Amino acid sequence: MLSQEVLYQYLLNEQWKDILDILYKHKQHIKSDTLLNHASKIFEVEFLRKVKDYDNSRLDILDHLQTLNLLHHGKFFTLSSENYKTLILEIVKRKSLKDAYGYATEFPEEEICKKIISDYKALKFEEEGYRPKDIMNLPVNWIEIYNRTFEILNNQGDPATYFSGPRFIDTVKQYERYFPDYSQFINQRNLEGKSTSRKIYYYDILLGLSDDTRLLVIKRILEILKPFAEDKVIQVENLLNNNDPFIEVTQSKVETKKPIVFISYSWDNDKHKKWVLDLANKLCKDGIDVILDRYYLKPGSNLPHFVEQNLSKADRIVIVFTKNYKLKADKRSGGVGYEYSIMNIDLYKNQNSNEKIIPILREGSQEESIPTFMQQFIHIDITNDNNFNNSYNDLIREIHNEPEIKKPEIGMKPNFEQT
């Protein structure tokens, strides 16, 4: 007669195979017996706790793990969701790359599974090369959509809009994580004797994506290009919606016009860069077209050209003042120094009517972080994170020209002679 003591004895001696045999043969008995059921749950916890200490080369342990997986899926013994994940991750650790891949796809966000999936995709690429998906539902005006989009992104003299091969493929990889990187893709094209002309292989890449992914990539590219070529982008968007490209372009422009804001800041440290990026993302969500270097600049980009072009294009300029910003501005050092020099020229001309620059103080006191000339202008204090929402509200209202306090309309003079 099977008793819980047998299971406990096997557990003490780490006789895993014997326990697994019992779980398989005595499924109904264990379910109906509270003590046996409790003992089996203790096995579940202890086995998955101890298995982590066993060497990955032990084939018997891998066999036990796979047997437990079969018992789980066959409803002979059901693991908790957390223990099931532990089981799968242990199998992934112990399997060869090709055999581990299928298990890894069950928990693709776990680090070990991400690595297995990435390595497997790389291996498949080495063995087979990139294989595009079957073309299913292309818009009837697809060629015109593509040609118009390529015309906008092909301006090599404009680093904000120009999409080099690496930049284009990096955009694709945002939605197709395991797409080959630039060098892998070009090597494959060369091996297959295919053209490496950007217009041709961009077209091939987009055709090879799934319908949903292709649309996401096109929309993301248009989103990046829109601040710099709005009319042309709107025409492509009209085509995507099966409209005439020129229909209501002027009206659409008026309706979709967003304030354009350039953010000037110094790369003090990773924490500060993240804070500025979070601020930019939040402004975008609140209807503001933000120009931030990290959105557009890639290695090799022309920084002076980017700064000159976009400072003049911006409706407002938000300067994030810190101690390091003041130091660089005073010394005219790096990108900050260049931006500050250009902004100062405009400010000197319009000292009494600054309608463009919004100073915000992120760190330190006014004297420590704001250059002397800039101290004459009223700034928004965002040094206190606990008061961020109030400060942000002041900033967003200023950008949208929606002051919290508005002067009321002037009424009629009272009649003082009434009694």
Side-chain angles (χ1 to χ4, degrees), residues 184-201:
Q184 289 175 323
F185 184 80
I186 293 299
N187 286 338
Q188 182 188 352
R189 298 283 290 190
N190 287 328
L191 288 172
E192 295 177 352
K194 293 182 178 178
S195 171
T196 54
S197 161
R198 288 186 311 107
K199 186 170 185 179
I200 293 175
Y201 76 75

mmCIF file with all atom_site columns, all heavy atoms in Angstrom, residues 184-201:
data_model
loop_
_atom_site.group_PDB
_atom_site.id
_atom_site.type_symbol
_atom_site.label_atom_id
_atom_site.label_alt_id
_atom_site.label_comp_id
_atom_site.label_asym_id
_atom_site.label_entity_id
_atom_site.label_seq_id
_atom_site.pdbx_PDB_ins_code
_atom_site.Cartn_x
_atom_site.Cartn_y
_atom_site.Cartn_z
_atom_site.occupancy
_atom_site.B_iso_or_equiv
_atom_site.pdbx_formal_charge
_atom_site.auth_seq_id
_atom_site.auth_comp_id
_atom_site.auth_asym_id
_atom_site.auth_atom_id
_atom_site.pdbx_PDB_model_num
ATOM 1   N N   . GLN A 1 184 ? 25.309 41.794 -41.537 1.00 0.00 ? 184 GLN A N   1
ATOM 2   C CA  . GLN A 1 184 ? 24.813 40.468 -41.883 1.00 0.00 ? 184 GLN A CA  1
ATOM 3   C C   . GLN A 1 184 ? 23.952 40.527 -43.146 1.00 0.00 ? 184 GLN A C   1
ATOM 4   O O   . GLN A 1 184 ? 24.081 39.686 -44.047 1.00 0.00 ? 184 GLN A O   1
ATOM 5   C CB  . GLN A 1 184 ? 23.978 39.900 -40.730 1.00 0.00 ? 184 GLN A CB  1
ATOM 6   C CG  . GLN A 1 184 ? 24.773 39.504 -39.500 1.00 0.00 ? 184 GLN A CG  1
ATOM 7   C CD  . GLN A 1 184 ? 23.848 39.064 -38.378 1.00 0.00 ? 184 GLN A CD  1
ATOM 8   O OE1 . GLN A 1 184 ? 22.768 39.610 -38.194 1.00 0.00 ? 184 GLN A OE1 1
ATOM 9   N NE2 . GLN A 1 184 ? 24.289 38.082 -37.611 1.00 0.00 ? 184 GLN A NE2 1
ATOM 10  N N   . PHE A 1 185 ? 23.073 41.525 -43.200 1.00 0.00 ? 185 PHE A N   1
ATOM 11  C CA  . PHE A 1 185 ? 22.151 41.616 -44.326 1.00 0.00 ? 185 PHE A CA  1
ATOM 12  C C   . PHE A 1 185 ? 22.896 41.886 -45.631 1.00 0.00 ? 185 PHE A C   1
ATOM 13  O O   . PHE A 1 185 ? 22.626 41.247 -46.654 1.00 0.00 ? 185 PHE A O   1
ATOM 14  C CB  . PHE A 1 185 ? 21.124 42.717 -44.066 1.00 0.00 ? 185 PHE A CB  1
ATOM 15  C CG  . PHE A 1 185 ? 20.074 42.823 -45.141 1.00 0.00 ? 185 PHE A CG  1
ATOM 16  C CD1 . PHE A 1 185 ? 18.993 41.959 -45.168 1.00 0.00 ? 185 PHE A CD1 1
ATOM 17  C CD2 . PHE A 1 185 ? 20.181 43.771 -46.141 1.00 0.00 ? 185 PHE A CD2 1
ATOM 18  C CE1 . PHE A 1 185 ? 18.039 42.027 -46.166 1.00 0.00 ? 185 PHE A CE1 1
ATOM 19  C CE2 . PHE A 1 185 ? 19.235 43.862 -47.144 1.00 0.00 ? 185 PHE A CE2 1
ATOM 20  C CZ  . PHE A 1 185 ? 18.156 42.989 -47.154 1.00 0.00 ? 185 PHE A CZ  1
ATOM 21  N N   . ILE A 1 186 ? 23.840 42.823 -45.602 1.00 0.00 ? 186 ILE A N   1
ATOM 22  C CA  . ILE A 1 186 ? 24.581 43.160 -46.814 1.00 0.00 ? 186 ILE A CA  1
ATOM 23  C C   . ILE A 1 186 ? 25.433 41.971 -47.265 1.00 0.00 ? 186 ILE A C   1
ATOM 24  O O   . ILE A 1 186 ? 25.534 41.673 -48.471 1.00 0.00 ? 186 ILE A O   1
ATOM 25  C CB  . ILE A 1 186 ? 25.445 44.403 -46.602 1.00 0.00 ? 186 ILE A CB  1
ATOM 26  C CG1 . ILE A 1 186 ? 24.547 45.629 -46.395 1.00 0.00 ? 186 ILE A CG1 1
ATOM 27  C CG2 . ILE A 1 186 ? 26.383 44.634 -47.777 1.00 0.00 ? 186 ILE A CG2 1
ATOM 28  C CD1 . ILE A 1 186 ? 23.642 45.943 -47.561 1.00 0.00 ? 186 ILE A CD1 1
ATOM 29  N N   . ASN A 1 187 ? 26.042 41.265 -46.313 1.00 0.00 ? 187 ASN A N   1
ATOM 30  C CA  . ASN A 1 187 ? 26.818 40.076 -46.667 1.00 0.00 ? 187 ASN A CA  1
ATOM 31  C C   . ASN A 1 187 ? 25.948 39.043 -47.370 1.00 0.00 ? 187 ASN A C   1
ATOM 32  O O   . ASN A 1 187 ? 26.361 38.412 -48.358 1.00 0.00 ? 187 ASN A O   1
ATOM 33  C CB  . ASN A 1 187 ? 27.460 39.461 -45.423 1.00 0.00 ? 187 ASN A CB  1
ATOM 34  C CG  . ASN A 1 187 ? 28.627 40.275 -44.915 1.00 0.00 ? 187 ASN A CG  1
ATOM 35  O OD1 . ASN A 1 187 ? 29.222 41.056 -45.674 1.00 0.00 ? 187 ASN A OD1 1
ATOM 36  N ND2 . ASN A 1 187 ? 28.970 40.114 -43.648 1.00 0.00 ? 187 ASN A ND2 1
ATOM 37  N N   . GLN A 1 188 ? 24.727 38.863 -46.851 1.00 0.00 ? 188 GLN A N   1
ATOM 38  C CA  . GLN A 1 188 ? 23.829 37.901 -47.484 1.00 0.00 ? 188 GLN A CA  1
ATOM 39  C C   . GLN A 1 188 ? 23.448 38.353 -48.893 1.00 0.00 ? 188 GLN A C   1
ATOM 40  O O   . GLN A 1 188 ? 23.427 37.548 -49.823 1.00 0.00 ? 188 GLN A O   1
ATOM 41  C CB  . GLN A 1 188 ? 22.559 37.713 -46.657 1.00 0.00 ? 188 GLN A CB  1
ATOM 42  C CG  . GLN A 1 188 ? 21.618 36.661 -47.267 1.00 0.00 ? 188 GLN A CG  1
ATOM 43  C CD  . GLN A 1 188 ? 20.271 36.603 -46.575 1.00 0.00 ? 188 GLN A CD  1
ATOM 44  O OE1 . GLN A 1 188 ? 20.083 37.237 -45.549 1.00 0.00 ? 188 GLN A OE1 1
ATOM 45  N NE2 . GLN A 1 188 ? 19.343 35.870 -47.141 1.00 0.00 ? 188 GLN A NE2 1
ATOM 46  N N   . ARG A 1 189 ? 23.169 39.641 -49.049 1.00 0.00 ? 189 ARG A N   1
ATOM 47  C CA  . ARG A 1 189 ? 22.825 40.150 -50.384 1.00 0.00 ? 189 ARG A CA  1
ATOM 48  C C   . ARG A 1 189 ? 23.958 39.887 -51.373 1.00 0.00 ? 189 ARG A C   1
ATOM 49  O O   . ARG A 1 189 ? 23.723 39.480 -52.514 1.00 0.00 ? 189 ARG A O   1
ATOM 50  C CB  . ARG A 1 189 ? 22.551 41.651 -50.322 1.00 0.00 ? 189 ARG A CB  1
ATOM 51  C CG  . ARG A 1 189 ? 21.384 42.070 -49.463 1.00 0.00 ? 189 ARG A CG  1
ATOM 52  C CD  . ARG A 1 189 ? 20.051 41.851 -50.083 1.00 0.00 ? 189 ARG A CD  1
ATOM 53  N NE  . ARG A 1 189 ? 19.750 42.716 -51.199 1.00 0.00 ? 189 ARG A NE  1
ATOM 54  C CZ  . ARG A 1 189 ? 18.544 42.803 -51.763 1.00 0.00 ? 189 ARG A CZ  1
ATOM 55  N NH1 . ARG A 1 189 ? 17.548 42.060 -51.296 1.00 0.00 ? 189 ARG A NH1 1
ATOM 56  N NH2 . ARG A 1 189 ? 18.325 43.596 -52.795 1.00 0.00 ? 189 ARG A NH2 1
ATOM 57  N N   . ASN A 1 190 ? 25.186 40.126 -50.896 1.00 0.00 ? 190 ASN A N   1
ATOM 58  C CA  . ASN A 1 190 ? 26.338 39.895 -51.774 1.00 0.00 ? 190 ASN A CA  1
ATOM 59  C C   . ASN A 1 190 ? 26.474 38.422 -52.144 1.00 0.00 ? 190 ASN A C   1
ATOM 60  O O   . ASN A 1 190 ? 26.741 38.072 -53.301 1.00 0.00 ? 190 ASN A O   1
ATOM 61  C CB  . ASN A 1 190 ? 27.618 40.396 -51.108 1.00 0.00 ? 190 ASN A CB  1
ATOM 62  C CG  . ASN A 1 190 ? 27.701 41.912 -51.081 1.00 0.00 ? 190 ASN A CG  1
ATOM 63  O OD1 . ASN A 1 190 ? 27.209 42.583 -51.988 1.00 0.00 ? 190 ASN A OD1 1
ATOM 64  N ND2 . ASN A 1 190 ? 28.308 42.472 -50.046 1.00 0.00 ? 190 ASN A ND2 1
ATOM 65  N N   . LEU A 1 191 ? 26.274 37.539 -51.135 1.00 0.00 ? 191 LEU A N   1
ATOM 66  C CA  . LEU A 1 191 ? 26.393 36.104 -51.397 1.00 0.00 ? 191 LEU A CA  1
ATOM 67  C C   . LEU A 1 191 ? 25.337 35.636 -52.395 1.00 0.00 ? 191 LEU A C   1
ATOM 68  O O   . LEU A 1 191 ? 25.585 34.737 -53.199 1.00 0.00 ? 191 LEU A O   1
ATOM 69  C CB  . LEU A 1 191 ? 26.259 35.321 -50.083 1.00 0.00 ? 191 LEU A CB  1
ATOM 70  C CG  . LEU A 1 191 ? 27.445 35.418 -49.113 1.00 0.00 ? 191 LEU A CG  1
ATOM 71  C CD1 . LEU A 1 191 ? 27.085 34.769 -47.782 1.00 0.00 ? 191 LEU A CD1 1
ATOM 72  C CD2 . LEU A 1 191 ? 28.675 34.740 -49.714 1.00 0.00 ? 191 LEU A CD2 1
ATOM 73  N N   . GLU A 1 192 ? 24.151 36.246 -52.325 1.00 0.00 ? 192 GLU A N   1
ATOM 74  C CA  . GLU A 1 192 ? 23.062 35.845 -53.210 1.00 0.00 ? 192 GLU A CA  1
ATOM 75  C C   . GLU A 1 192 ? 23.077 36.599 -54.536 1.00 0.00 ? 192 GLU A C   1
ATOM 76  O O   . GLU A 1 192 ? 22.216 36.398 -55.389 1.00 0.00 ? 192 GLU A O   1
ATOM 77  C CB  . GLU A 1 192 ? 21.721 36.062 -52.507 1.00 0.00 ? 192 GLU A CB  1
ATOM 78  C CG  . GLU A 1 192 ? 21.536 35.168 -51.283 1.00 0.00 ? 192 GLU A CG  1
ATOM 79  C CD  . GLU A 1 192 ? 20.238 35.446 -50.541 1.00 0.00 ? 192 GLU A CD  1
ATOM 80  O OE1 . GLU A 1 192 ? 19.545 36.431 -50.890 1.00 0.00 ? 192 GLU A OE1 1
ATOM 81  O OE2 . GLU A 1 192 ? 19.900 34.686 -49.620 1.00 0.00 ? 192 GLU A OE2 1
ATOM 82  N N   . GLY A 1 193 ? 24.066 37.498 -54.684 1.00 0.00 ? 193 GLY A N   1
ATOM 83  C CA  . GLY A 1 193 ? 24.177 38.245 -55.934 1.00 0.00 ? 193 GLY A CA  1
ATOM 84  C C   . GLY A 1 193 ? 23.069 39.263 -56.130 1.00 0.00 ? 193 GLY A C   1
ATOM 85  O O   . GLY A 1 193 ? 22.741 39.622 -57.265 1.00 0.00 ? 193 GLY A O   1
ATOM 86  N N   . LYS A 1 194 ? 22.497 39.770 -55.015 1.00 0.00 ? 194 LYS A N   1
ATOM 87  C CA  . LYS A 1 194 ? 21.407 40.739 -55.116 1.00 0.00 ? 194 LYS A CA  1
ATOM 88  C C   . LYS A 1 194 ? 21.944 42.157 -54.961 1.00 0.00 ? 194 LYS A C   1
ATOM 89  O O   . LYS A 1 194 ? 23.001 42.384 -54.389 1.00 0.00 ? 194 LYS A O   1
ATOM 90  C CB  . LYS A 1 194 ? 20.349 40.459 -54.038 1.00 0.00 ? 194 LYS A CB  1
ATOM 91  C CG  . LYS A 1 194 ? 19.619 39.144 -54.240 1.00 0.00 ? 194 LYS A CG  1
ATOM 92  C CD  . LYS A 1 194 ? 18.552 38.944 -53.160 1.00 0.00 ? 194 LYS A CD  1
ATOM 93  C CE  . LYS A 1 194 ? 17.786 37.644 -53.380 1.00 0.00 ? 194 LYS A CE  1
ATOM 94  N NZ  . LYS A 1 194 ? 16.783 37.412 -52.319 1.00 0.00 ? 194 LYS A NZ  1
ATOM 95  N N   . SER A 1 195 ? 21.180 43.105 -55.447 1.00 0.00 ? 195 SER A N   1
ATOM 96  C CA  . SER A 1 195 ? 21.595 44.506 -55.432 1.00 0.00 ? 195 SER A CA  1
ATOM 97  C C   . SER A 1 195 ? 21.723 45.036 -54.007 1.00 0.00 ? 195 SER A C   1
ATOM 98  O O   . SER A 1 195 ? 20.908 44.714 -53.133 1.00 0.00 ? 195 SER A O   1
ATOM 99  C CB  . SER A 1 195 ? 20.581 45.363 -56.194 1.00 0.00 ? 195 SER A CB  1
ATOM 100 O OG  . SER A 1 195 ? 20.859 46.734 -56.021 1.00 0.00 ? 195 SER A OG  1
ATOM 101 N N   . THR A 1 196 ? 22.753 45.869 -53.787 1.00 0.00 ? 196 THR A N   1
ATOM 102 C CA  . THR A 1 196 ? 22.905 46.556 -52.495 1.00 0.00 ? 196 THR A CA  1
ATOM 103 C C   . THR A 1 196 ? 22.592 48.040 -52.647 1.00 0.00 ? 196 THR A C   1
ATOM 104 O O   . THR A 1 196 ? 22.989 48.858 -51.811 1.00 0.00 ? 196 THR A O   1
ATOM 105 C CB  . THR A 1 196 ? 24.326 46.360 -51.929 1.00 0.00 ? 196 THR A CB  1
ATOM 106 O OG1 . THR A 1 196 ? 25.292 46.766 -52.915 1.00 0.00 ? 196 THR A OG1 1
ATOM 107 C CG2 . THR A 1 196 ? 24.570 44.914 -51.540 1.00 0.00 ? 196 THR A CG2 1
ATOM 108 N N   . SER A 1 197 ? 21.889 48.397 -53.708 1.00 0.00 ? 197 SER A N   1
ATOM 109 C CA  . SER A 1 197 ? 21.361 49.753 -53.842 1.00 0.00 ? 197 SER A CA  1
ATOM 110 C C   . SER A 1 197 ? 20.299 49.951 -52.766 1.00 0.00 ? 197 SER A C   1
ATOM 111 O O   . SER A 1 197 ? 19.395 49.114 -52.611 1.00 0.00 ? 197 SER A O   1
ATOM 112 C CB  . SER A 1 197 ? 20.733 49.937 -55.219 1.00 0.00 ? 197 SER A CB  1
ATOM 113 O OG  . SER A 1 197 ? 19.855 51.040 -55.237 1.00 0.00 ? 197 SER A OG  1
ATOM 114 N N   . ARG A 1 198 ? 20.383 51.040 -52.025 1.00 0.00 ? 198 ARG A N   1
ATOM 115 C CA  . ARG A 1 198 ? 19.464 51.232 -50.891 1.00 0.00 ? 198 ARG A CA  1
ATOM 116 C C   . ARG A 1 198 ? 18.004 51.224 -51.334 1.00 0.00 ? 198 ARG A C   1
ATOM 117 O O   . ARG A 1 198 ? 17.151 50.634 -50.670 1.00 0.00 ? 198 ARG A O   1
ATOM 118 C CB  . ARG A 1 198 ? 19.783 52.543 -50.159 1.00 0.00 ? 198 ARG A CB  1
ATOM 119 C CG  . ARG A 1 198 ? 21.073 52.488 -49.350 1.00 0.00 ? 198 ARG A CG  1
ATOM 120 C CD  . ARG A 1 198 ? 21.314 53.737 -48.516 1.00 0.00 ? 198 ARG A CD  1
ATOM 121 N NE  . ARG A 1 198 ? 21.155 54.947 -49.313 1.00 0.00 ? 198 ARG A NE  1
ATOM 122 C CZ  . ARG A 1 198 ? 20.129 55.781 -49.208 1.00 0.00 ? 198 ARG A CZ  1
ATOM 123 N NH1 . ARG A 1 198 ? 19.172 55.539 -48.347 1.00 0.00 ? 198 ARG A NH1 1
ATOM 124 N NH2 . ARG A 1 198 ? 20.049 56.860 -49.950 1.00 0.00 ? 198 ARG A NH2 1
ATOM 125 N N   . LYS A 1 199 ? 17.706 51.876 -52.445 1.00 0.00 ? 199 LYS A N   1
ATOM 126 C CA  . LYS A 1 199 ? 16.299 51.932 -52.869 1.00 0.00 ? 199 LYS A CA  1
ATOM 127 C C   . LYS A 1 199 ? 15.756 50.543 -53.165 1.00 0.00 ? 199 LYS A C   1
ATOM 128 O O   . LYS A 1 199 ? 14.590 50.243 -52.874 1.00 0.00 ? 199 LYS A O   1
ATOM 129 C CB  . LYS A 1 199 ? 16.145 52.827 -54.099 1.00 0.00 ? 199 LYS A CB  1
ATOM 130 C CG  . LYS A 1 199 ? 14.681 53.033 -54.482 1.00 0.00 ? 199 LYS A CG  1
ATOM 131 C CD  . LYS A 1 199 ? 14.499 54.094 -55.542 1.00 0.00 ? 199 LYS A CD  1
ATOM 132 C CE  . LYS A 1 199 ? 13.014 54.347 -55.786 1.00 0.00 ? 199 LYS A CE  1
ATOM 133 N NZ  . LYS A 1 199 ? 12.782 55.407 -56.800 1.00 0.00 ? 199 LYS A NZ  1
ATOM 134 N N   . ILE A 1 200 ? 16.604 49.688 -53.699 1.00 0.00 ? 200 ILE A N   1
ATOM 135 C CA  . ILE A 1 200 ? 16.155 48.333 -54.046 1.00 0.00 ? 200 ILE A CA  1
ATOM 136 C C   . ILE A 1 200 ? 16.045 47.457 -52.805 1.00 0.00 ? 200 ILE A C   1
ATOM 137 O O   . ILE A 1 200 ? 15.038 46.780 -52.596 1.00 0.00 ? 200 ILE A O   1
ATOM 138 C CB  . ILE A 1 200 ? 17.100 47.697 -55.078 1.00 0.00 ? 200 ILE A CB  1
ATOM 139 C CG1 . ILE A 1 200 ? 17.002 48.454 -56.407 1.00 0.00 ? 200 ILE A CG1 1
ATOM 140 C CG2 . ILE A 1 200 ? 16.771 46.216 -55.279 1.00 0.00 ? 200 ILE A CG2 1
ATOM 141 C CD1 . ILE A 1 200 ? 17.972 47.995 -57.466 1.00 0.00 ? 200 ILE A CD1 1
ATOM 142 N N   . TYR A 1 201 ? 17.085 47.479 -51.929 1.00 0.00 ? 201 TYR A N   1
ATOM 143 C CA  . TYR A 1 201 ? 17.000 46.530 -50.810 1.00 0.00 ? 201 TYR A CA  1
ATOM 144 C C   . TYR A 1 201 ? 16.085 47.030 -49.688 1.00 0.00 ? 201 TYR A C   1
ATOM 145 O O   . TYR A 1 201 ? 15.525 46.222 -48.940 1.00 0.00 ? 201 TYR A O   1
ATOM 146 C CB  . TYR A 1 201 ? 18.382 46.096 -50.303 1.00 0.00 ? 201 TYR A CB  1
ATOM 147 C CG  . TYR A 1 201 ? 19.182 47.048 -49.447 1.00 0.00 ? 201 TYR A CG  1
ATOM 148 C CD1 . TYR A 1 201 ? 18.860 47.272 -48.109 1.00 0.00 ? 201 TYR A CD1 1
ATOM 149 C CD2 . TYR A 1 201 ? 20.320 47.666 -49.943 1.00 0.00 ? 201 TYR A CD2 1
ATOM 150 C CE1 . TYR A 1 201 ? 19.633 48.096 -47.314 1.00 0.00 ? 201 TYR A CE1 1
ATOM 151 C CE2 . TYR A 1 201 ? 21.102 48.496 -49.161 1.00 0.00 ? 201 TYR A CE2 1
ATOM 152 C CZ  . TYR A 1 201 ? 20.752 48.710 -47.844 1.00 0.00 ? 201 TYR A CZ  1
ATOM 153 O OH  . TYR A 1 201 ? 21.519 49.534 -47.047 1.00 0.00 ? 201 TYR A OH  1
#
